[in-house]
Amino acid sequence: MAEIIQRDGTWTFDGETVRIVPGGKAHPLRQALGEMSVPIQAVAGISFEPDRKGGRLRLRLRGGACPVLRAADGRLKDGADPYLLAVEKDRTGVAEYFVDEVRNALLIEQVPGTPVDRFLLPGPALPVSGGGGDGTASFDGETIRLTWNWKAEESKTSAGPSSFPLTRIAGVRWLPAIGLEYGYLRFEPTDSPSAAPPKHDPYSLELWGLSKKEYTAVVVAAAVLARLPGADAAVDGPGAAPALTKAAAPAADHDALLRRLRELGELHLAGILTDEEFSTAKQAVLRSM
C-alpha cells in the first residue's frame, strides 16, 4: 500500500486501484467530483514533477478512459485537474515512492498506454449539478434541467426552466471562459440543433469565468456524456466493466507469476525494459510469490 496525504488531497494505491480524495481547499471542480477510484488498467503513466516548493504528482490516463477528461477535452487548468496533486517539499520522497509503486504495477500487468474505445471509469455520481454564469444545470440520469438566474437573457427566463430527457440529446460540449471570451455548456438536441448563441439558446448555459465554481459545469457534461445511448460507459463502477475484470486471486497463482517473470525477461532481452526497470519489476513479482 502506498499513500500520500497532502493539503491538496490524499492518494492511495493498493496495487490495483488509485484512490483520489480531494482536500478541503481543493478546486471546486475536484470537490464536486469527490472521491475517485482509478483502476490500473485505465492508467497510461505517472510522474513526479519537482519544483522549488516541492512538486506535483501527475497521473496520466489512457485516452478515452475518463468521461471527465473527455468532456474537458484538454481545457482543464492544473488547479482543476483531478489527476494532479500538489506535493510539499518534505513529502517528495513519498511522492517518488508512490510513482515507483504505480509504475511497477503497470509493468507487471503490462497495461498498454494506448487509447481505449470505451470508458474505463464511471461518470460522476448522480444526481449532479453545476455551472454558473446565467444559470445552473442538473442531471439525475434521465432528465437534464437548466434553471436560469437573474443574469440570464429574457429569451431564456420568459419560458422558465428548460427540462428535457436524455433521449433527446445527441451530444454535449463544454468550453470554459478564456480571457474576454465567454464559455458555455451546450446540449445538442437530436431533432433540431440550435444555431443561436449560448446566451439565447435554451439548451445552453453561458459561462462568464467570474468564479471557479463555473468549472463544475464540466461535471454535468461528463455525467451526461457517460450515459448517452451507445456511450458504453462503466456507469456502475469500475468493477462492473468487463474490461476491468481480473482473474481470481492472481497473487496466489504461481504459474501466472512465473509467466509474468518470463514475459518480463523477454521484454528485458528485447531492450524494452532497462536493467533497472527489469530488476524493480522482477522484485515486485517475487514479493508476490
Side-chain angles (χ1 to χ4, degrees), residues 6-7 48-56 86-92:
Q6 295 291 273
R7 288 178 295 181
F48 176 63
E49 304 164 0
D51 59 32
R52 61 185 182 83
K53 294 183 179 180
R56 297 175 298 184
V87 178
E88 298 168 10
K89 186 175 294 186
D90 63 346
R91 305 299 287 171
T92 58

Side-chain angles (χ1 to χ4, degrees), residues 99-117:
V99 167
D100 288 342
E101 289 296 295
V102 174
R103 285 180 176 172
N104 288 344
L106 290 172
L107 285 171
I108 293 170
E109 297 295 334
Q110 297 186 35
V111 179
T114 53
V116 294
D117 58 3

Side-chain angles (χ1 to χ4, degrees), residues 55-134:
R56 297 175 298 184
L57 194 58
R58 190 186 298 272
L59 192 68
R60 292 184 295 103
L61 270 60
R62 298 171 66 185
C66 174
V68 175
L69 295 185
R70 177 83 65 85
D73 195 23
R75 300 187 181 97
L76 290 181
K77 296 180 179 179
D78 278 356
D81 188 343
Y83 302 112
L84 187 146
L85 179 71
V87 178
E88 298 168 10
K89 186 175 294 186
D90 63 346
R91 305 299 287 171
T92 58
V94 179
E96 291 169 348
Y97 171 75
F98 196 99
V99 167
D100 288 342
E101 289 296 295
V102 174
R103 285 180 176 172
N104 288 344
L106 290 172
L107 285 171
I108 293 170
E109 297 295 334
Q110 297 186 35
V111 179
T114 53
V116 294
D117 58 3
R118 65 188 300 274
F119 293 133
L120 299 184
L121 276 76
L126 299 176
V128 65
S129 65
D134 64 357

Side-chain angles (χ1 to χ4, degrees), residues 42-270:
V43 177
I46 187 172
S47 62
F48 176 63
E49 304 164 0
D51 59 32
R52 61 185 182 83
K53 294 183 179 180
R56 297 175 298 184
L57 194 58
R58 190 186 298 272
L59 192 68
R60 292 184 295 103
L61 270 60
R62 298 171 66 185
C66 174
V68 175
L69 295 185
R70 177 83 65 85
D73 195 23
R75 300 187 181 97
L76 290 181
K77 296 180 179 179
D78 278 356
D81 188 343
Y83 302 112
L84 187 146
L85 179 71
V87 178
E88 298 168 10
K89 186 175 294 186
D90 63 346
R91 305 299 287 171
T92 58
V94 179
E96 291 169 348
Y97 171 75
F98 196 99
V99 167
D100 288 342
E101 289 296 295
V102 174
R103 285 180 176 172
N104 288 344
L106 290 172
L107 285 171
I108 293 170
E109 297 295 334
Q110 297 186 35
V111 179
T114 53
V116 294
D117 58 3
R118 65 188 300 274
F119 293 133
L120 299 184
L121 276 76
L126 299 176
V128 65
S129 65
D134 64 357
T136 302
S138 60
F139 177 54
D140 62 5
E142 296 181 354
T143 303
I144 300 163
R145 183 179 178 86
L146 301 180
T147 305
W148 316 115
N149 58 33
W150 63 274
K151 305 171 188 175
E153 294 290 323
E154 185 178 355
S155 58
K156 288 182 175 180
T157 58
S158 60
S162 291
S163 181
F164 33 90
L166 180 64
T167 53
R168 283 184 53 197
I169 299 302
V172 56
R173 295 191 64 193
W174 172 78
L175 178 70
I178 303 173
L180 299 177
E181 296 292 328
Y182 292 164
Y184 57 79
L185 172 65
R186 186 191 290 272
F187 299 96
E188 301 169 349
T190 55
D191 48 2
S192 56
S194 175
K199 68 186 298 183
H200 296 297
D201 181 10
Y203 286 89
S204 301
L205 292 184
E206 187 175 48
L207 306 173
W208 302 338
L210 299 178
S211 168
K212 289 182 179 180
K213 289 186 177 180
E214 289 189 19
Y215 268 76
T216 57
V218 76
V219 181
V220 182
V224 171
L225 185 63
R227 293 165 176 85
L228 283 174
D232 194 24
V235 296
D236 294 323
L244 304 182
T245 301
K246 299 181 66 177
D253 187 346
H254 281 229
D255 289 340
L257 292 173
L258 290 172
R259 284 196 299 273
R260 287 179 186 173
L261 284 174
R262 285 196 296 270
E263 291 164 354
L264 289 172
E266 292 170 359
L267 291 172
H268 182 228
L269 289 174

